């Protein structure tokens, strides 16, 4: 797909997931370009009379929601999250495991996505893989950066500190963490790696999302394919 086709595929996926949101739902609003299309589609639905409330996962998703006219509440102020709509850097076809964190918002995204009754993942077809191999983002406490990098190496990964663009120094998340992009090659057992990374002292959160997804909306040149676990 060329750039224009990719953008149309992302929009189709986002709009497809937004159409699955019911009137009265509290909706987790994911981060990223495809999730942004879903948020804009929800804004159009709100303008047409649908009653939804959004829970943002980042400054970016909050800004898109405000621009689109989606009412917002903090997670602590809602009693439930009915559905979350979120993107992925890479996903297995059925969504049983995926990699997130390209926008460095995976800690808050995982909190909201795990709290939701349903998680709808939105991607274009380039993001679907039979085996995960995308580097896994790992958010770490700044004082633990060396220890975390060493532990990632002992698990068979290569940790690269993510550098900021258009500013000097590393990326710092909304929660004040540093981000390592950890290349493990082919990840044949995502659940095992997720468990190992979660046990590393100093790791705030990692970008492997395992067992959370209910459906994947995959946008392509000719439409949307929806797969589920």
């Amino acid at each position: 797909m060329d750039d224009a086709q990719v953008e149309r595929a992302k929009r189709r996926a986002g709009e497809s997931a937004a159409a699955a949101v019911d009137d009265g739902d509290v909706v987790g609003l994911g981060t990223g370009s495809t999730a942004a299309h879903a948020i804009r589609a929800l804004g159009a639905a709100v303008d047409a009379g649908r009653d939804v409330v959004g829970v943002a996962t980042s400054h970016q998703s909050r800004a898109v929601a405000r621009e689109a006219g989606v009412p917002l509440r903090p997670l602590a102020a809602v009693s439930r999250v009915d559905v979350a709509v979120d993107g992925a850097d890479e996903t297995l076809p059925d969504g049983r495991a995926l990699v997130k964190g390209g926008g460095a918002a995976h800690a808050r995204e995982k909190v909201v996505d795990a709290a939701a009754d349903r998680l709808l993942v939105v991607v274009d077809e380039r993001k679907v893989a039979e085996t995960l191999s995308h580097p896994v983002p790992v958010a770490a406490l700044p004082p633990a950066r060396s220890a975390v990098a060493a532990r990632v190496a002992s698990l068979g990964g290569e940790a690269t500190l993510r550098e900021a663009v258009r500013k000097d120094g590393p990326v710092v998340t909304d929660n004040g963490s540093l981000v390592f992009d950890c290349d493990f090659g082919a990840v044949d057992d995502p659940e095992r790696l997720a468990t190992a990374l979660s046990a590393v002292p100093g790791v705030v959160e990692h970008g492997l999302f395992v067992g959370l997804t209910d459906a994947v909306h995959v946008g392509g040149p000719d439409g949307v394919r929806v797969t589920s676990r």
Side-chain angles (χ1 to χ4, degrees), residues 20 23-24 38 56 60 74 87 90 92 100-101 105 111 120 125 145 156 162 168 192 197 200 202 206 214:
D23 192 59
Q60 188 242 16
E90 189 174 58
L92 296 180
K100 292 181 51 56
V111 170
L120 310 181
E125 63 182 19
R145 58 188 288 181
R162 188 182 299 179
D168 293 333
R192 183 176 181 179
L197 289 173
V200 176
H206 58 77
D214 293 280

Side-chain angles (χ1 to χ4, degrees), residues 165-180:
V165 178
R166 297 179 184 171
K167 69 175 285 294
D168 293 333
V171 166
V172 179
T173 73
D174 293 352
N175 301 316
S177 302
L178 302 179
V179 178
F180 288 99

Side-chain angles (χ1 to χ4, degrees), residues 39-49 68 70:
I39 296 170
R40 295 186 186 103
L42 285 172
V46 169
D47 190 55
V70 178

Side-chain angles (χ1 to χ4, degrees), residues 33-125:
S33 57
T34 311
H37 284 297
I39 296 170
R40 295 186 186 103
L42 285 172
V46 169
D47 190 55
R50 191 180 307 178
D51 177 23
V52 299
V53 171
V55 176
T57 58
S58 66
H59 293 313
Q60 188 242 16
S61 61
R62 185 178 301 110
V64 175
R66 285 174 174 164
E67 183 180 355
V70 178
L72 292 171
R73 299 287 186 277
L75 181 60
V78 299
S79 60
R80 71 189 191 285
V81 178
D82 297 291
V83 58
V85 180
D86 211 345
D89 300 312
E90 189 174 58
T91 180
L92 296 180
D94 62 359
R96 64 182 176 82
L98 50 100
V99 178
K100 292 181 51 56
H106 50 287
R108 294 190 184 187
E109 287 174 318
K110 190 173 286 187
V111 170
V112 174
D113 292 353
D117 292 339
R118 293 185 295 147
L119 171 59
L120 310 181
V121 171
V122 291
V123 293
D124 66 82
E125 63 182 19

Side-chain angles (χ1 to χ4, degrees), residues 110-228:
K110 190 173 286 187
V111 170
V112 174
D113 292 353
D117 292 339
R118 293 185 295 147
L119 171 59
L120 310 181
V121 171
V122 291
V123 293
D124 66 82
E125 63 182 19
R126 302 170 308 156
K127 304 295 183 69
V128 180
E130 293 298 325
T131 302
L132 298 180
S133 61
H134 192 283
V136 178
V138 173
L141 296 173
R145 58 188 288 181
S146 297
V148 168
R151 182 59 180 147
V152 166
S154 75
L155 294 172
E158 181 179 350
T160 302
L161 186 65
R162 188 182 299 179
E163 295 290 336
V165 178
R166 297 179 184 171
K167 69 175 285 294
D168 293 333
V171 166
V172 179
T173 73
D174 293 352
N175 301 316
S177 302
L178 302 179
V179 178
F180 288 99
D181 292 305
C182 302
D183 189 352
F184 292 93
V187 179
D188 297 316
D189 191 341
E191 184 173 9
R192 183 176 181 179
L193 180 58
T195 299
L197 289 173
S198 293
V200 176
V203 167
V204 175
E205 192 53 84
H206 58 77
L208 279 170
F209 285 47
V210 179
L212 296 179
T213 304
D214 293 280
V216 184
H217 293 245
V218 183
D222 302 317
V224 178
R225 179 178 74 258
V226 180
T227 61
S228 58

